[in-house]
Coordinates of all heavy atoms in Angstrom, one line a residue:
A97 N 43.1 -107.4 -134.8 CA 43.4 -106.6 -136.0 C 43.3 -107.5 -137.2 O 42.7 -107.1 -138.3 CB 44.7 -105.9 -135.9
W98 N 43.9 -108.7 -137.1 CA 43.9 -109.6 -138.2 C 42.5 -110.1 -138.6 O 42.1 -110.2 -139.7 CB 44.8 -110.8 -137.9 CG 44.8 -111.9 -139.0 CD1 45.4 -111.8 -140.2 CD2 44.0 -113.1 -138.9 NE1 45.2 -113.0 -140.9 CE2 44.3 -113.8 -140.1 CE3 43.2 -113.7 -138.0 CZ2 43.8 -115.0 -140.4 CZ3 42.7 -114.9 -138.3 CH2 42.9 -115.6 -139.5
I99 N 41.7 -110.3 -137.5 CA 40.3 -110.7 -137.7 C 39.5 -109.6 -138.5 O 38.8 -109.9 -139.4 CB 39.6 -111.1 -136.4 CG1 40.3 -112.4 -135.8 CG2 38.1 -111.3 -136.6 CD1 39.8 -112.7 -134.4
L100 N 39.7 -108.4 -138.0 CA 39.0 -107.3 -138.7 C 39.5 -107.1 -140.1 O 38.7 -106.9 -141.0 CB 39.3 -106.0 -137.8 CG 38.7 -105.8 -136.5 CD1 39.1 -104.6 -135.8 CD2 37.1 -105.9 -136.6
C101 N 40.8 -107.3 -140.3 CA 41.4 -107.2 -141.7 C 40.8 -108.2 -142.6 O 40.3 -107.9 -143.8 CB 42.9 -107.3 -141.6 SG 43.7 -107.1 -143.2
I102 N 40.7 -109.5 -142.1 CA 40.2 -110.6 -143.0 C 38.7 -110.3 -143.2 O 38.2 -110.6 -144.4 CB 40.5 -111.9 -142.3 CG1 41.9 -112.3 -142.2 CG2 39.7 -113.1 -143.0 CD1 42.5 -112.4 -143.6
T103 N 38.0 -109.9 -142.2 CA 36.6 -109.7 -142.4 C 36.3 -108.6 -143.4 O 35.4 -108.7 -144.2 CB 35.9 -109.4 -141.0 OG1 36.2 -110.4 -140.1 CG2 34.4 -109.2 -141.2
S104 N 37.0 -107.5 -143.3 CA 36.9 -106.4 -144.2 C 37.2 -106.8 -145.7 O 36.6 -106.3 -146.6 CB 37.8 -105.2 -143.8 OG 39.2 -105.5 -144.0
M105 N 38.1 -107.8 -145.8 CA 38.5 -108.2 -147.2 C 37.2 -109.0 -147.8 O 37.0 -108.8 -149.0 CB 39.6 -109.2 -147.1 CG 41.0 -108.5 -146.9 SD 42.4 -109.7 -146.8 CE 42.3 -110.5 -148.3
G106 N 36.5 -109.7 -147.0 CA 35.5 -110.4 -147.5 C 34.1 -109.7 -147.7 O 33.2 -110.1 -148.4
L107 N 34.1 -108.5 -147.1 CA 32.8 -107.7 -147.2 C 32.9 -106.8 -148.4 O 34.0 -106.3 -148.8 CB 32.7 -106.7 -146.0 CG 32.4 -107.5 -144.7 CD1 32.4 -106.5 -143.5 CD2 31.1 -108.2 -144.7
P108 N 31.8 -106.5 -149.1 CA 31.8 -105.6 -150.2 C 31.7 -104.1 -149.9 O 31.7 -103.3 -150.8 CB 30.6 -106.2 -151.0 CG 29.6 -106.6 -150.0 CD 30.5 -107.1 -148.9
Q109 N 31.4 -103.8 -148.7 CA 31.1 -102.4 -148.3 C 32.2 -101.5 -148.2 O 32.4 -100.7 -147.2 CB 30.2 -102.4 -147.0 CG 28.8 -103.0 -147.2 CD 28.8 -104.4 -146.8 OE1 29.8 -105.1 -146.8 NE2 27.6 -104.9 -146.4
W110 N 33.2 -101.5 -149.1 CA 34.3 -100.6 -149.2 C 33.8 -99.3 -149.8 O 34.1 -98.2 -149.3 CB 35.5 -101.1 -149.9 CG 36.3 -102.1 -149.1 CD1 35.9 -103.4 -148.8 CD2 37.6 -101.9 -148.5 NE1 36.9 -104.0 -148.1 CE2 37.9 -103.1 -147.9 CE3 38.4 -100.8 -148.5 CZ2 39.1 -103.2 -147.2 CZ3 39.7 -100.9 -147.8 CH2 40.0 -102.2 -147.2
R111 N 33.1 -99.3 -150.8 CA 32.4 -98.2 -151.4 C 31.0 -98.4 -151.6 O 30.6 -99.5 -152.1 CB 33.1 -97.8 -152.8 CG 34.6 -97.9 -152.8 CD 35.1 -97.5 -154.1 NE 36.6 -97.9 -154.3 CZ 37.2 -97.8 -155.4 NH1 36.7 -97.3 -156.5 NH2 38.5 -98.2 -155.4
V112 N 30.2 -97.4 -151.4 CA 28.8 -97.5 -151.6 C 28.4 -96.5 -152.7 O 28.6 -95.3 -152.7 CB 28.0 -97.1 -150.3 CG1 26.5 -97.2 -150.5 CG2 28.4 -97.8 -149.1
W113 N 27.9 -97.2 -153.8 CA 27.4 -96.4 -155.0 C 26.0 -96.2 -154.9 O 25.2 -97.1 -154.8 CB 27.8 -97.2 -156.3 CG 29.3 -97.1 -156.6 CD1 30.3 -96.8 -155.8 CD2 29.8 -97.2 -157.9 NE1 31.4 -96.8 -156.5 CE2 31.2 -97.0 -157.8 CE3 29.2 -97.4 -159.2 CZ2 32.1 -97.1 -158.9 CZ3 30.1 -97.5 -160.3 CH2 31.5 -97.4 -160.1
Y114 N 25.5 -95.0 -155.2 CA 24.1 -94.7 -155.3 C 23.8 -94.2 -156.8 O 24.4 -93.3 -157.3 CB 23.7 -93.5 -154.4 CG 23.9 -93.9 -153.0 CD1 25.0 -93.5 -152.2 CD2 22.9 -94.7 -152.3 CE1 25.1 -93.8 -150.9 CE2 23.1 -95.0 -150.9 CZ 24.2 -94.6 -150.3 OH 24.3 -94.9 -148.9
M115 N 22.8 -94.9 -157.4 CA 22.5 -94.6 -158.8 C 21.1 -93.8 -158.8 O 20.3 -93.9 -157.8 CB 22.4 -95.9 -159.6 CG 23.6 -96.2 -160.3 SD 25.0 -96.6 -159.2 CE 24.5 -98.2 -158.6
K116 N 20.8 -93.2 -160.0 CA 19.6 -92.5 -160.0 C 18.4 -93.5 -160.1 O 18.4 -94.5 -160.8 CB 19.5 -91.7 -161.3 CG 20.5 -90.5 -161.3 CD 20.5 -89.8 -162.6 CE 21.5 -88.6 -162.6 NZ 21.5 -87.8 -163.9
E117 N 17.3 -93.2 -159.4 CA 16.2 -94.0 -159.3 C 15.5 -94.2 -160.7 O 15.0 -95.3 -161.0 CB 15.2 -93.5 -158.3 CG 15.7 -93.8 -156.8 CD 15.8 -95.2 -156.4 OE1 15.1 -96.0 -157.1 OE2 16.4 -95.5 -155.5
P118 N 15.3 -93.0 -161.5 CA 14.6 -93.2 -162.8 C 15.2 -94.1 -163.8 O 14.6 -94.5 -164.7 CB 14.6 -91.7 -163.2 CG 14.8 -90.8 -162.1 CD 15.7 -91.7 -161.1
M119 N 16.6 -94.4 -163.6 CA 17.2 -95.2 -164.6 C 16.9 -96.7 -164.2 O 17.5 -97.4 -163.4 CB 18.7 -95.0 -164.5 CG 19.1 -93.6 -164.8 SD 20.9 -93.3 -164.6 CE 21.5 -94.3 -165.9
I120 N 15.8 -97.2 -164.8 CA 15.3 -98.5 -164.5 C 16.3 -99.6 -164.9 O 16.4 -100.6 -164.3 CB 14.0 -98.7 -165.3 CG1 13.0 -97.6 -164.9 CG2 13.4 -100.1 -165.0 CD1 11.6 -97.8 -165.6
S121 N 17.1 -99.4 -165.9 CA 18.1 -100.4 -166.4 C 19.2 -100.5 -165.4 O 20.0 -101.5 -165.5 CB 18.6 -100.0 -167.8 OG 19.3 -98.7 -167.7
Y122 N 19.3 -99.6 -164.5 CA 20.5 -99.7 -163.5 C 20.0 -99.9 -162.1 O 18.9 -99.5 -161.8 CB 21.3 -98.3 -163.5 CG 22.2 -98.2 -164.8 CD1 22.3 -96.9 -165.3 CD2 22.8 -99.2 -165.4 CE1 23.1 -96.7 -166.4 CE2 23.5 -99.0 -166.6 CZ 23.7 -97.8 -167.1 OH 24.4 -97.6 -168.2
P123 N 20.8 -100.6 -161.3 CA 20.4 -100.8 -159.9 C 20.4 -99.4 -159.1 O 20.9 -98.5 -159.6 CB 21.4 -101.7 -159.4 CG 22.6 -101.6 -160.2 CD 22.0 -101.2 -161.6
S124 N 19.8 -99.4 -157.9 CA 19.7 -98.2 -157.2 C 21.0 -98.1 -156.2 O 21.4 -97.0 -156.0 CB 18.5 -98.1 -156.4 OG 18.3 -99.2 -155.6
V125 N 21.4 -99.2 -155.7 CA 22.5 -99.2 -154.7 C 23.6 -100.3 -155.1 O 23.1 -101.4 -155.5 CB 22.1 -99.3 -153.3 CG1 23.3 -99.3 -152.3 CG2 21.1 -98.3 -152.9
A126 N 24.8 -100.1 -154.9 CA 25.8 -101.1 -155.1 C 26.9 -101.0 -154.1 O 27.3 -99.8 -153.8 CB 26.4 -101.1 -156.6
F127 N 27.4 -102.1 -153.6 CA 28.5 -102.1 -152.6 C 29.7 -102.7 -153.4 O 29.7 -103.8 -153.9 CB 28.3 -103.0 -151.4 CG 27.2 -102.5 -150.6 CD1 26.4 -103.4 -149.8 CD2 27.0 -101.1 -150.4 CE1 25.4 -102.9 -149.0 CE2 26.0 -100.7 -149.6 CZ 25.2 -101.5 -148.8
V128 N 30.8 -101.9 -153.5 CA 32.0 -102.2 -154.2 C 33.1 -102.6 -153.3 O 33.5 -101.7 -152.4 CB 32.4 -101.1 -155.2 CG1 33.7 -101.5 -156.0 CG2 31.3 -100.7 -156.1
G129 N 33.5 -103.8 -153.3 CA 34.5 -104.3 -152.3 C 35.8 -104.5 -153.0 O 36.0 -104.3 -154.2
V130 N 36.7 -105.2 -152.3 CA 38.1 -105.5 -152.8 C 38.0 -106.7 -153.7 O 38.8 -106.8 -154.7 CB 39.1 -105.7 -151.6 CG1 40.4 -106.1 -152.1 CG2 39.2 -104.4 -150.8
W131 N 37.1 -107.6 -153.4 CA 37.1 -108.9 -154.1 C 35.7 -109.1 -154.8 O 35.6 -110.1 -155.5 CB 37.4 -110.1 -153.2 CG 38.8 -110.1 -152.7 CD1 39.2 -109.7 -151.5 CD2 40.0 -110.5 -153.4 NE1 40.6 -109.8 -151.3 CE2 41.0 -110.3 -152.5 CE3 40.2 -110.9 -154.7 CZ2 42.4 -110.5 -152.9 CZ3 41.5 -111.2 -155.1 CH2 42.6 -111.0 -154.2
K132 N 34.7 -108.3 -154.5 CA 33.4 -108.5 -155.1 C 32.6 -107.3 -155.1 O 32.8 -106.3 -154.3 CB 32.7 -109.7 -154.4 CG 32.3 -109.4 -153.0 CD 31.6 -110.6 -152.4 CE 31.2 -110.4 -151.0 NZ 30.5 -111.6 -150.4
I133 N 31.5 -107.2 -155.8 CA 30.5 -106.2 -155.9 C 29.1 -106.8 -155.6 O 28.9 -107.9 -156.2 CB 30.6 -105.4 -157.2 CG1 29.5 -104.3 -157.2 CG2 30.4 -106.3 -158.4 CD1 29.5 -103.4 -158.4
C134 N 28.4 -106.2 -154.8 CA 27.0 -106.7 -154.6 C 26.1 -105.5 -155.0 O 26.2 -104.4 -154.6 CB 26.8 -106.9 -153.1 SG 27.6 -108.5 -152.6
I135 N 25.1 -105.9 -155.9 CA 24.2 -104.9 -156.5 C 22.8 -105.2 -155.9 O 22.3 -106.3 -155.9 CB 24.2 -105.1 -158.0 CG1 25.7 -105.0 -158.6 CG2 23.3 -104.0 -158.7 CD1 25.9 -105.3 -160.0
Y136 N 22.1 -104.1 -155.5 CA 20.8 -104.2 -155.0 C 19.8 -103.5 -156.0 O 19.9 -102.3 -156.3 CB 20.7 -103.6 -153.6 CG 21.5 -104.3 -152.6 CD1 22.8 -104.1 -152.4 CD2 20.8 -105.2 -151.7 CE1 23.5 -104.8 -151.4 CE2 21.5 -105.9 -150.8 CZ 22.8 -105.7 -150.6 OH 23.6 -106.4 -149.7
H137 N 18.8 -104.3 -156.4 CA 17.8 -103.8 -157.3 C 16.5 -103.6 -156.4 O 16.2 -104.5 -155.7 CB 17.5 -104.7 -158.5 CG 18.7 -104.9 -159.4 ND1 18.8 -104.1 -160.5 CD2 19.7 -105.7 -159.4 CE1 19.9 -104.5 -161.1 NE2 20.5 -105.5 -160.5
H138 N 15.8 -102.5 -156.6 CA 14.5 -102.3 -155.9 C 13.5 -102.8 -156.8 O 13.2 -102.2 -158.0 CB 14.4 -100.8 -155.5 CG 15.2 -100.4 -154.4 ND1 15.1 -100.9 -153.1 CD2 16.4 -99.6 -154.4 CE1 16.0 -100.3 -152.4 NE2 16.8 -99.5 -153.1
D139 N 12.7 -103.8 -156.4 CA 11.6 -104.3 -157.2 C 10.3 -104.2 -156.3 O 10.0 -105.0 -155.5 CB 11.8 -105.7 -157.6 CG 10.7 -106.3 -158.5 OD1 9.9 -105.5 -158.9 OD2 10.7 -107.5 -158.7
N140 N 9.6 -103.1 -156.6 CA 8.4 -102.8 -155.8 C 8.7 -102.6 -154.3 O 9.5 -101.8 -153.9 CB 7.3 -103.8 -156.0 CG 6.8 -103.8 -157.4 OD1 6.7 -102.8 -158.0 ND2 6.4 -105.0 -157.9
S141 N 8.3 -103.6 -153.5 CA 8.7 -103.5 -152.0 C 9.8 -104.4 -151.6 O 10.2 -104.5 -150.5 CB 7.4 -103.9 -151.2 OG 7.0 -105.3 -151.6
S142 N 10.4 -105.1 -152.5 CA 11.5 -106.1 -152.2 C 12.8 -105.6 -152.8 O 12.8 -104.8 -153.7 CB 11.1 -107.5 -152.7 OG 11.0 -107.5 -154.1
N143 N 13.9 -106.2 -152.3 CA 15.2 -105.9 -152.8 C 15.8 -107.1 -153.3 O 15.8 -108.2 -152.7 CB 16.1 -105.3 -151.7 CG 15.7 -103.9 -151.2 OD1 15.1 -103.1 -152.0 ND2 16.0 -103.6 -150.0
I144 N 16.4 -107.1 -154.5 CA 17.0 -108.2 -155.1 C 18.5 -108.0 -155.1 O 19.0 -107.0 -155.6 CB 16.6 -108.4 -156.5 CG1 15.1 -108.6 -156.5 CG2 17.2 -109.6 -157.2 CD1 14.4 -108.7 -157.9
R145 N 19.3 -108.9 -154.5 CA 20.7 -108.8 -154.3 C 21.5 -109.6 -155.3 O 21.2 -110.9 -155.4 CB 21.2 -109.0 -152.9 CG 22.7 -109.0 -152.7 CD 23.0 -109.4 -151.2 NE 24.5 -109.5 -151.1 CZ 25.0 -109.8 -149.9 NH1 24.4 -110.0 -148.8 NH2 26.4 -110.0 -149.9
T146 N 22.4 -109.2 -156.0 CA 23.2 -110.0 -156.9 C 24.7 -109.6 -156.7 O 25.1 -108.4 -156.7 CB 22.9 -109.6 -158.4 OG1 21.5 -109.9 -158.6 CG2 23.7 -110.6 -159.3
C147 N 25.5 -110.6 -156.5 CA 26.9 -110.3 -156.2 C 27.8 -111.0 -157.3 O 27.5 -112.1 -157.8 CB 27.3 -111.0 -154.8 SG 26.5 -110.1 -153.4
Y148 N 28.8 -110.3 -157.6 CA 29.8 -110.8 -158.6 C 31.2 -110.7 -158.0 O 31.6 -109.7 -157.5 CB 29.8 -110.0 -159.9 CG 28.5 -109.9 -160.6 CD1 27.5 -108.9 -160.4 CD2 28.1 -110.9 -161.5 CE1 26.3 -108.8 -161.1 CE2 26.9 -110.9 -162.2 CZ 26.0 -109.8 -161.9 OH 24.8 -109.8 -162.5
K149 N 32.0 -111.8 -158.1 CA 33.3 -111.8 -157.6 C 34.3 -111.5 -158.7 O 34.0 -111.8 -159.9 CB 33.6 -113.2 -157.0 CG 32.8 -113.5 -155.8 CD 33.3 -114.9 -155.2 CE 32.5 -115.1 -153.9 NZ 32.8 -116.5 -153.3

Side-chain angles (χ1 to χ4, degrees):
W98 176 76
I99 293 174
L100 290 175
C101 180
I102 292 297
T103 303
S104 66
M105 286 176 59
L107 293 176
Q109 291 93 337
W110 280 73
R111 312 180 198 176
V112 183
W113 281 26
Y114 297 100
M115 269 65 71
K116 295 180 179 179
E117 291 292 342
M119 300 176 67
I120 302 177
S121 59
Y122 290 144
S124 57
V125 180
F127 294 150
V128 181
V130 177
W131 294 102
K132 66 180 178 180
I133 177 175
C134 287
I135 305 167
Y136 291 82
H137 298 266
H138 289 289
D139 184 12
N140 296 328
S141 60
S142 62
N143 293 329
I144 301 176
R145 174 182 174 180
T146 305
C147 293
Y148 300 96
K149 295 183 179 179

